[in-house]
Amino acid sequence: MTKRAAADAGLTVGVAATRTGVTIRTLHHWDAIGLVRPSGRTDSGYRLYTAADLARIHRVLIYRELGVPLDDIKTLLEAPAGDAMASLREQRDQLRERADRMHRMAGALDRLIEARESGILLSAEEQVEIFGRDWQPSWVEEARDQWGDTVQWAQYAERAAGRTAEHWQQIAAGVEALNAELAAACRAAVAPGSDQANALAERHRASIGAYFDCTHSMHVCLGRRYVTDPGFAAFYDDLAPGLATWLRDIIDANARVHGIDPESATWN
């Protein structure tokens, strides 16, 4: 066959692969399984693809992009028009569902990225409204600067990404109620290590779990900070005189019950 005659008969497998964006190996495989068989051959037995063959390749690519298995694609291509249309509609609906799911996933990732960067998906005004007039929105930024590379900050951001203002309002109300009980127990001189004090310590640790997983050892470290950090100490002691120290003591006593020595506790 002359070069001109070959061109009129069809395209070689290499040219067909280039035109359609698939590999030569793929076209060989599709020929072997009967999915796309070239309409012609050269005198030497080389494959030649016609315009109709290229159109079939493009149809296969569309189905494959939709996630249809090759065996099913072959059935679709050879099915009566009515059956093919029904299948196309089904594939279209599945594609739309997949697109909606991907859109939701992208939105969730956007929220997670924003939460990792900002710490909380609330405006400064919303934060003050929810957490009280003494709340400083800059505290979240300071926390991110200090702990942004930690596992705990990652957990905090993941949980914050899924929370609305209403969720934060519920968390804030729960913390406020717990602090009132802690202050009342401190005024009543509830003994550290007592059942009541241990229960309050566990509830306090659980409240931190709203932000990140807090072990008993980590809880002890936080208790130390409540006493040594002037901001924390002032906050708790404003609720009840000596509350910062009392809270640290009930945390330490509860940790001992769970096998943690407060003197050697570390952030883990």
Side-chain angles (χ1 to χ4, degrees):
M1 179 182 293
T2 66
K3 184 176 181 180
R4 177 59 181 273
D8 291 340
L11 303 174
T12 64
V13 67
V15 176
T18 300
R19 294 274 184 91
T20 57
V22 299
T23 65
I24 294 175
R25 182 177 181 180
T26 295
L27 290 181
H28 286 173
H29 175 62
W30 289 356
D31 183 10
I33 64 175
L35 183 60
V36 180
R37 285 183 171 148
S39 297
R41 296 270 179 174
T42 68
D43 294 338
S44 301
Y46 294 109
R47 296 170 177 85
L48 289 175
Y49 290 82
T50 65
D53 297 332
L54 297 187
R56 185 177 175 98
I57 292 171
H58 284 296
R59 292 174 67 193
V60 171
L61 292 174
I62 291 172
Y63 282 123
R64 191 174 68 171
E65 183 66 24
L66 294 174
V68 181
L70 291 182
D71 288 343
D72 292 343
I73 293 175
K74 183 179 179 182
T75 300
L76 282 171
L77 293 178
E78 297 172 356
D83 293 344
M85 285 299 297
S87 179
L88 282 172
R89 290 191 179 96
E90 181 181 354
Q91 295 298 326
R92 177 201 60 193
D93 294 342
Q94 292 178 2
L95 182 60
R96 286 176 175 170
E97 291 176 4
R98 187 186 308 172
D100 289 342
R101 185 169 63 253
M102 296 301 291
H103 181 72
R104 291 193 297 270
M105 291 176 62
L109 284 172
D110 284 341
R111 288 180 61 84
L112 179 56
I113 291 169
E114 185 179 354
R116 288 291 292 264
E117 291 176 345
S118 66
I120 190 169
L121 303 184
L122 296 173
S123 67
E125 293 76 12
E126 288 175 321
Q127 292 179 47
V128 172
E129 179 181 355
I130 291 173
F131 302 123
R133 289 178 297 176
D134 294 333
W135 176 264
Q136 298 295 324
S138 61
W139 289 344
V140 179
E141 183 177 347
E142 292 170 3
R144 182 202 62 201
D145 292 342
Q146 185 168 358
W147 295 299
D149 294 331
T150 66
V151 172
Q152 287 72 39
W153 182 264
Q155 290 178 340
Y156 167 74
E158 289 170 1
R159 295 169 192 183
R163 286 176 177 153
T164 63
E166 289 73 20
H167 292 141
W168 285 114
Q169 185 67 63
Q170 293 171 3
I171 291 172
V175 170
E176 183 177 3
L178 176 59
N179 284 340
E181 290 189 52
L182 290 170
C186 177
R187 293 191 193 96
V190 172
S194 64
D195 290 343
Q196 181 181 355
N198 287 341
L200 285 170
E202 275 300 292
R203 286 176 57 195
H204 183 270
R205 188 174 70 88
S207 72
I208 297 168
Y211 308 100
F212 56 84
D213 297 339
C214 181
T215 66
H216 290 93
S217 184
M218 293 164 66
H219 201 202
V220 168
C221 295
L222 289 174
R224 294 174 191 157
R225 187 163 189 182
Y226 296 153
V227 174
T228 59
D229 184 289
F232 276 120
F235 170 78
Y236 283 114
D237 289 345
D238 281 347
L239 296 176
L243 178 56
T245 299
W246 180 83
L247 179 56
R248 180 204 60 194
D249 291 344
I250 71 165
I251 289 173
D252 286 355
N254 183 61
R256 291 190 186 94
V257 173
H258 292 86
I260 300 298
D261 179 6
E263 298 300 323
S264 58
T266 57
W267 187 259
N268 55 43

